[in-house]
Amino acid sequence: MKFASTVRSLAFAAAAGWLALSAPAQAVAAPQASITHQTAPTQYVDAAGVKLAYRRFGKPGGVPLVMFQHFVGNMDSWDPKITDGFAREREVILFDNAGVAASQGEVPATVEGMAGHAIALIDALNVKQADLLGFSLGSLVAQQVALQRPDLARRVILVGSGPRGGEGMASLTPEFLDMLKKPHDPADELLLDVFFTPSAASQQAGRAFLSRLRARQTQRDPDVNDKVAPAQIAAFAAWGAPRADAAAYLKQIRQPVLVISGSRDLVHYTVNSFTLQQNLPNAQLIIYPDSNHGAIYQYPDLFLAQARLFLNQP
């Protein structure tokens, strides 16, 4: 499948605030509880022969939370309110998959390939068990990690997600493509369309989110290059291709799963989250009102409270 335009992919990347304001920081020895999303240095690890970039911060000890990023996203694409909210109680690990932003290697063209790099990174960091949080494309990767390494994944949160062969998942949805075509000035206001609904309340939450997203001014993650979007879209196409018994694999993911969706997700249609909940053996579903693909950024406090409740269960 061909991407409509490299320019659109780069516009989307810029829209999430992914401009490198300076070179990434050098690696440091160990995580510190005093470090936050805004100050966490970029570190590097050799993961099965590929140098991957990551940031590790928060309260050490216990089960860390590994976070898997969305389409053409990098480590600075996460909402600091959410990452710091989790970090007050646990260690948080953010990372760039192979070929993305500060990480080396080639961008995999399959979700399975992305999951392989993610597993290699977690193993290289000597993490024996982790909770996983995947957003959008990252949620597909998190599913695959839980499937391939059930020993590694304790609990899983899937945000803006969908199953293999899900509705509208074999390509970027028409609504999403229309959003990419619209002019936005500044460019990151694209996310007001992609992550939020047109309502006044949702747009107000969106502007608060953008303010938080822009807060880190130094040592930001580099922008994604023009090879990222086509490879990731190929991964979407392979994952979303219609097939017989497409959701059967979900029965093998036996970890507790929390599925989160917006009520009007136009990137991964909301019905796909319902399909996940119906087919995963141990899943619960939360749908936030008047919300699009970035529902957790519209309701960060509520999401944190519900996610903590889910993750803190034994």
Side-chain angles (χ1 to χ4, degrees):
M1 181 179 58
K2 295 182 178 179
F3 188 48
S5 167
T6 300
V7 173
R8 291 175 196 158
S9 70
L10 294 178
F12 187 83
W18 305 324
L19 299 178
L21 301 184
S22 65
Q26 296 300 310
V28 298
Q32 299 178 26
S34 60
I35 295 173
T36 68
H37 181 101
Q38 307 299 353
T39 60
T42 300
Q43 305 182 71
Y44 300 90
V45 66
D46 186 300
V50 179
K51 186 179 180 182
L52 298 182
Y54 71 98
R55 294 176 185 162
R56 189 172 185 174
F57 58 99
K59 184 179 179 180
V63 180
L65 178 66
V66 181
M67 301 179 67
F68 298 72
Q69 191 53 279
H70 60 65
F71 172 59
V72 298
N74 68 11
M75 292 183 286
D76 285 322
S77 305
W78 292 108
D79 186 340
K81 189 167 190 177
I82 287 176
T83 54
D84 285 338
F86 282 123
R88 283 192 288 271
E89 295 186 355
R90 61 171 60 231
E91 195 174 7
V92 171
I93 300 174
L94 314 179
F95 74 102
D96 293 327
N97 212 307
V100 174
S103 286
Q104 296 182 357
E106 296 295 322
V107 183
T110 64
V111 168
E112 291 80 1
M114 296 173 190
H117 286 293
I119 290 169
L121 175 129
I122 295 169
D123 285 341
L125 295 179
N126 199 32
V127 172
K128 302 304 181 185
Q129 190 178 54
D131 292 329
L132 313 181
L133 189 160
F135 176 28
S136 195
L137 175 60
S139 74
L140 314 185
V141 181
Q143 289 180 50
Q144 189 64 31
V145 171
L147 187 66
Q148 289 181 215
R149 287 287 301 275
D151 61 305
L152 189 60
R154 189 187 72 110
R155 288 177 172 268
V156 183
I157 300 176
L158 304 176
V159 180
S161 191
R164 292 176 184 166
E167 184 174 332
M169 294 192 67
S171 63
L172 302 187
T173 65
E175 296 91 340
F176 185 23
L177 286 172
D178 285 344
M179 295 171 194
L180 295 175
K181 294 174 185 176
K182 288 174 56 179
H184 296 88
D185 186 17
D188 61 2
E189 291 197 355
L190 170 61
L191 294 183
L192 295 176
D193 290 333
V194 176
F195 285 173
F196 302 89
T197 74
S199 77
S202 187
Q203 288 295 298
Q204 182 179 10
R207 294 193 179 280
F209 161 71
L210 286 182
S211 179
R212 298 191 299 269
L213 202 67
R214 296 162 176 164
R216 181 165 174 145
Q217 295 295 310
T218 61
Q219 298 181 337
R220 290 182 67 92
D221 216 7
D223 200 359
V224 298
N225 64 43
D226 59 5
K227 295 181 180 179
V228 173
Q232 291 185 345
I233 289 174
F236 277 130
W239 180 272
R243 68 198 79 183
D245 298 321
Y249 77 99
L250 292 169
K251 302 298 183 186
Q252 302 174 53
I253 301 177
R254 302 192 176 276
Q255 297 91 337
V257 179
L258 176 61
V259 182
I260 302 284
S261 179
S263 60
R264 190 168 180 267
D265 192 332
L266 299 178
V267 177
H268 287 160
Y269 295 138
T270 305
V271 66
N272 289 307
S273 290
F274 182 74
T275 301
L276 287 172
Q277 193 278 328
Q278 291 291 290
N279 288 276
L280 287 161
N282 187 8
Q284 52 190 296
L285 171 63
I286 298 174
I287 298 177
Y288 291 126
D290 181 32
S291 54
N292 193 355
H293 197 51
I296 62 172
Y297 300 147
Q298 184 167 338
Y299 299 94
D301 294 319
L302 180 58
F303 167 68
L304 278 169
Q306 293 171 329
R308 288 195 198 105
L309 183 64
F310 170 75
L311 293 175
N312 289 339
Q313 297 177 60

